[in-house]
Amino acid sequence: MVIKPDTYLLTAALNRVIPPVGDLPGAGGMELAEEVIKRSATDFRFQDALTRVLGALPSPNDFLALDDDGQDDALRTAESSHADAFGLWLDVVYTVYYMHPEVHQRLDWHGRSPQPEGNVMPPWDESVLGLIRKRDPFWRKA
Amino acid sequence: MTTAEHNPGRTADVLIVGAGASGAAVAASLSEAGFDVVCIEQGHWQDSFKYPTADSDFEFKAMSSWSINPNKRRLPEDYPVNVEDSAVDPVMFNGVGGSTIMWVAHTPRLHPSDFRVKSQDGVADDWPISYEDLEPWYDLNDHVMGCSGISGDPANPPRSERPMPPIPIGRDGEMIAGAFDRLGWHWWPSDAYINSTRYGQGRDACNFCGHNMMGCYQRAKASTDLTYWPRAIDQGAELVTGARVREITTDSVGRATGVNYLDAEGNDRHRTARSVVMAANGIGTPRLMLLSDSKNHPAGLSNSSGLVGKNLMFHMFGGTFGVFPEHMDPWVGPVANIILSQEFYETDPDRGFLRGYTFQMSRGQGPGSIARGVAGHRVPWGENHHAVLERRFRNTLGLGPIGDDLPEEHNSVTLDERLTDSSGLPAPKITYRVSDNSRALLDHAITQGTKVLKEAGATEILVNPQSRETGWHLMGTARMGDDPERSVVDKNGQSHDIDNLFIVDGSVFVTGGAVNPTPTIQAIALRTADYITNNRGDLKA
Ligand SMILES: Cc1cc2nc3c(=O)[nH]c(=O)nc-3n(C[C@H](O)[C@H](O)[C@H](O)COP(=O)(O)OP(=O)(O)OC[C@H]3O[C@@H](n4cnc5c(N)ncnc54)[C@H](O)[C@@H]3O)c2cc1C
Ligand code: SF4
């Protein structure tokens, strides 16, 4: 269970992990902390990673009092002391961020789920085999 | 889909454990031949319209409830696998269709030389069957599953006309193929059990959605719930789902009599049968055989050779990905059914390792999976994050080797002493080390793969020396052979120790070859089924 002050801490951390770009604020500014917390709660591995990472950072007030470089240093310290948990936490954060429609728009990606629309199958062009078809069989007889 | 009303108190002719790639093929073949068939499967039917590829959070599901790794998915029908002593994590799906629900459906065949490794290269063992012995069943399986491809590949013996034209290789495939051409190296469009046109009952053509490993919404990818099972059920086979076999039962002389299983409500049940066919895959089958020890079979079922669970083979896999300067839109099209190269398939003593590998091209996917890491290279957090992501997303293509992984007895499946599944049964423990031969093979593949990707124009190469979550191919743990002291089953898949017990999954592989194994697994299963039909009339009521 993540308590409210940790939401502030997570929001600030997210802004350093995925900083602002173009018109978009950082991941924290996009209010993704709640979504990260919600998704983490669906799987104990993610929940555990989130708890460990937040636990390895300074208290919310101390973290917020740091400047950008100080916050990055604190994150790096947590990363080196809790490498596996930090990596898994990043996976969740990245996945949540890259599910966001505004992020898709910025990447100029359709952002649709693969189905049901799919994509168009291009035609099969046999001419690509021109060169390789000239090669003699070379499989090893047994 | 429901199965016909059956009397659970009857003695079936054949009881199959596992409804995946091999179990389904046997069920269809034997029910067609008039055998009374029942199959017990721990998982459930899937509804293709509910596959997560139609959900906006599909990238999150790929790392949780739809992970290919049962240790991450952790559904009640999955069993956990202890991988503490393994360099590779086995991956699989447990349900009707088995791992074909999640597979990529890249479907090359073993080469003739793969069946003669000992004679030709002086290592491992020869198979008791040859490529020619299996060929008719390869062809049959290609037709039932539905194979897209084109014959004429110079790296392989001639093969019958493919039922469908190849899956178009796309602009990205042409780019990599062009690089192989310029290097003078072999490549060929992949055989794929993916519909390039409508084929089979209710199965559409692939719509290039780009994500094979979470089930196919289009039903274009062949999974045995769509191919063999409807036939088997029409022919009267019974399929019991949500039922976990915990033991093969035997009589006073040690012959198989049926199974004990836990039904969907957790009740202990028994089914009797005149014969038992194991199709629970290269981990599930040895696990169950070890769980079935008894007075007559103190070391586990059919284990007089001591080889049940030994010689586990995966295919060693390492990633080589190229980042290209132009957009490739790699989320369009099947993820790894594009082209293959078998330039380095056979042994060349100058290379410093025996046997060889197939290169399989792959595409990148959505931004979440790219950010989480291509070839194990997670996009860094912080100031560089966006620049690196943008460089890799849309622009990344891979070339991975499926490398021959020679059998070694210490690579094994045993029963874990502490870990249990949701039914309280001991979980399998995997012990697996990467051999020096496999390491040298992978290093060679990484060097050559880098050459190809650079020739194709890649400006950045991302390498993973050996990927962990790539135990897709589970082989060798109840190998076939002529010598009962050196093998578990004979060339027909019949146990040396128990004449009414058969094994038809990847456990029976003697060596792994350097291609994805499933067409071979299914061809072996169909061949065993024909053996039973033609020679074991005694198993029919
Ligand atoms: C992500 C992924 C990608 C792959 N890609 C390819 C590919 O491109 N090409 C290729 O050739 N192969 C591929 N494979 C491998 C392929 O899926 C397997 O080789 C094939 O499915 C194995 O068939 P099988 O019948 O041995 O076992 P499975 O298909 O795994 O079926 C075994 C079944 O047995 C059931 N079972 C196990 N234990 C019990 C029990 N105690 N009681 C009841 N039921 C039980 C399981 O639930 C399961 O449904 C891939 C696999 C994965 C996971
Ligand atoms: S790429 Fe084709 S075969 Fe693969 S899941 Fe999509 S529609 Fe199915």
Side-chain angles (χ1 to χ4, degrees):
Chain A
M1 178 71 183
V2 178
I3 50 167
K4 204 72 185 161
D6 280 347
T7 310
Y8 299 130
L9 175 59
L10 183 58
T11 298
L14 291 184
N15 279 331
R16 295 311 304 155
V17 167
I18 306 184
V21 60
D23 294 340
L24 291 182
M30 291 174 69
E31 299 186 355
L32 293 180
E34 294 290 355
E35 185 67 11
V36 169
I37 291 167
K38 197 180 99 195
R39 294 276 172 184
S40 300
T42 64
D43 189 314
F44 86 87
R45 292 177 306 126
F46 304 152
Q47 181 64 57
D48 181 61
L50 174 63
T51 308
R52 279 171 196 264
V53 169
L54 293 183
L57 292 173
S59 71
N61 284 344
D62 288 350
F63 188 80
L64 288 166
L66 295 168
D67 62 12
D68 288 352
D69 288 345
Q71 291 186 348
D72 286 356
D73 284 344
L75 281 161
R76 269 191 287 274
T77 305
E79 184 173 26
S80 58
S81 62
H82 293 75
D84 288 348
F86 196 91
L88 195 53
W89 173 71
L90 273 186
D91 286 347
V92 175
V93 169
Y94 286 177
T95 307
V96 165
Y97 180 77
Y98 287 104
M99 278 168 14
H100 200 287
E102 286 176 46
V103 176
H104 297 163
Q105 218 170 4
R106 198 192 72 77
L107 288 173
D108 194 19
W109 185 51
H110 61 57
R112 292 186 264 111
S113 56
Q115 295 286 4
E117 208 172 316
N119 300 292
V120 177
M121 188 192 294
W124 160 243
D125 171 12
E126 191 151 347
S127 71
V128 294
L129 295 176
L131 203 62
I132 187 65
R133 273 229 192 263
K134 295 194 182 118
R135 186 158 172 182
D136 288 334
F138 66 100
W139 51 277
R140 187 177 176 192
K141 306 265 183 321
Chain B
M1 173 153 330
T2 52
T3 59
E5 281 289 313
H6 294 271
N7 167 16
R10 79 192 192 282
T11 297
D13 296 333
V14 180
L15 187 149
I16 303 168
V17 183
S22 59
V26 170
S29 178
L30 289 181
S31 56
E32 188 180 5
F35 285 83
D36 175 5
V37 173
V38 58
C39 175
I40 313 263
E41 165 56 52
Q42 64 189 346
H44 305 279
W45 287 95
Q46 302 300 312
D47 177 349
S48 45
F49 295 117
K50 293 200 178 134
Y51 282 136
T53 45
D55 299 341
S56 57
D57 63 350
F58 68 99
E59 293 215 276
F60 184 78
K61 289 189 171 130
M63 58 188 279
S64 52
S65 55
W66 272 86
S67 167
I68 58 175
N69 186 337
N71 284 350
K72 293 184 177 168
R73 210 167 49 226
R74 294 199 325 277
L75 299 176
E77 59 267 36
D78 293 320
Y79 52 84
V81 184
N82 181 341
V83 290
E84 275 165 20
D85 291 332
S86 176
V88 174
D89 288 353
V91 295
M92 64 180 85
F93 187 79
N94 298 308
V96 179
S99 301
T100 64
I101 298 295
M102 288 198 151
W103 75 331
V104 165
H106 191 254
T107 53
R109 296 180 182 185
L110 287 181
H111 285 208
S113 68
D114 289 318
F115 296 86
R116 295 288 173 267
V117 172
K118 176 80 171 176
S119 313
Q120 296 203 326
D121 293 320
V123 285
D125 276 302
D126 288 347
W127 291 53
I129 54 174
S130 66
Y131 176 83
E132 290 72 26
D133 288 334
L134 268 191
E135 197 173 1
W137 289 278
Y138 271 130
D139 283 346
L140 175 62
N141 195 57
D142 285 349
H143 275 85
V144 179
M145 295 292 277
C147 183
S148 297
I150 186 163
S151 38
D153 178 0
N156 280 273
R159 96 183 30 161
S160 60
E161 187 149 348
R162 314 287 69 211
M164 285 172 278
I167 301 285
I169 65 174
R171 192 167 61 91
D172 48 2
E174 287 176 19
M175 201 175 75
I176 302 293
F180 278 114
D181 274 345
R182 288 192 296 282
L183 290 165
W185 291 355
H186 168 263
W187 72 274
W188 198 256
S190 295
D191 266 10
Y193 287 173
I194 288 183
N195 285 0
S196 59
T197 59
R198 270 174 175 266
Y199 188 92
Q201 211 180 2
R203 296 185 49 217
D204 249 318
C206 167
N207 69 1
F208 263 50
C209 86
H211 211 301
N212 288 56
M213 286 193 281
M214 300 167 87
C216 179
Y217 185 98
Q218 282 286 101
R219 301 156 73 94
K221 181 179 78 167
S223 46
T224 57
D225 58 329
L226 305 177
T227 56
Y228 281 107
W229 273 116
R231 284 176 181 227
I233 287 166
D234 275 356
Q235 290 158 183
E238 180 188 9
L239 175 51
V240 182
T241 56
R244 176 172 276 149
V245 176
R246 62 175 183 78
E247 179 186 29
I248 315 300
T249 53
T250 52
D251 62 17
S252 58
V253 292
R255 292 186 88 229
T257 53
V259 298
N260 287 328
Y261 71 98
L262 297 150
D263 70 12
E265 285 75 46
N267 303 309
D268 228 329
R269 303 259 178 218
H270 179 69
R271 288 297 287 257
T272 54
R274 285 177 194 84
S275 62
V276 172
V277 175
M278 302 296 299
N281 84 29
I283 290 181
T285 285
R287 174 197 186 209
L288 206 42
M289 291 168 74
L290 294 173
L291 280 171
S292 304
D293 57 345
S294 64
K295 193 159 65 58
N296 280 317
H297 304 285
L301 204 64
S302 187
N303 198 16
S304 62
S305 64
L307 290 176
V308 170
K310 303 275 175 63
N311 293 303
L312 172 66
M313 296 174 282
F314 298 113
H315 280 127
M316 301 314 308
F317 196 82
T320 316
F321 280 81
V323 183
F324 292 85
E326 44 181 318
H327 286 343
M328 292 285 137
D329 291 353
W331 56 81
V332 178
V335 67
N337 273 296
I338 315 156
I339 65 169
L340 56 69
S341 167
Q342 297 188 325
E343 185 64 29
F344 304 105
Y345 199 91
E346 296 295 351
T347 299
D348 175 346
D350 290 345
R351 291 188 199 132
F353 58 90
L354 294 167
R355 307 302 298 159
Y357 56 90
T358 294
F359 271 130
Q360 185 176 347
M361 179 190 159
S362 63
R363 297 185 162 114
Q365 291 171 12
S369 68
I370 296 289
R372 293 199 298 265
V374 169
H377 295 257
R378 193 182 278 116
V379 170
W381 62 269
E383 290 309 323
N384 267 338
H385 178 82
H386 297 290
V388 176
L389 186 285
E390 278 163 44
R391 207 163 63 231
R392 292 184 191 167
F393 176 56
R394 309 189 76 161
N395 300 29
T396 305
L397 300 172
L399 212 48
I402 303 283
D404 199 343
D405 180 23
L406 294 168
E408 296 178 293
E409 274 191 32
H410 59 81
N411 290 332
S412 62
V413 178
T414 51
L415 296 179
D416 196 85
E417 284 171 11
R418 285 183 301 277
L419 191 65
T420 56
D421 65 18
S422 57
S423 315
L425 303 175
K429 173 176 165 49
I430 307 300
T431 305
Y432 184 86
R433 291 202 293 273
V434 180
S435 68
D436 291 347
N437 195 68
S438 292
R439 184 63 266 158
L441 181 155
L442 276 175
D443 289 341
H444 187 271
I446 286 167
T447 308
Q448 307 309 316
T450 302
K451 235 181 245 175
V452 179
L453 292 169
K454 283 193 172 156
E455 175 64 36
T459 47
E460 186 187 352
I461 304 288
L462 302 169
V463 170
N464 186 347
Q466 188 244 314
S467 316
R468 203 184 153 90
E469 210 170 75
T470 50
W472 313 291
H473 306 155
L474 312 172
M475 304 169 292
T477 46
R479 66 202 326 222
M480 59 162 65
D482 293 327
D483 178 356
E485 289 186 7
R486 298 283 311 134
S487 56
V488 179
V489 295
D490 70 11
K491 65 180 179 186
N492 298 311
Q494 180 176 310
S495 156
H496 287 303
D497 299 353
I498 304 172
D499 76 352
N500 65 343
L501 179 76
F502 299 84
I503 304 179
V504 294
D505 54 43
S507 311
V508 302
F509 276 41
V510 180
T511 53
V515 289
N516 321 58
T518 310
T520 307
I521 292 176
Q522 291 184 298
I524 288 172
L526 292 170
R527 185 173 177 278
T528 293
D530 277 1
Y531 168 78
I532 294 173
T533 299
N534 297 327
N535 299 281
R536 296 302 306 268
D538 61 305
L539 301 177
K540 216 186 235 181

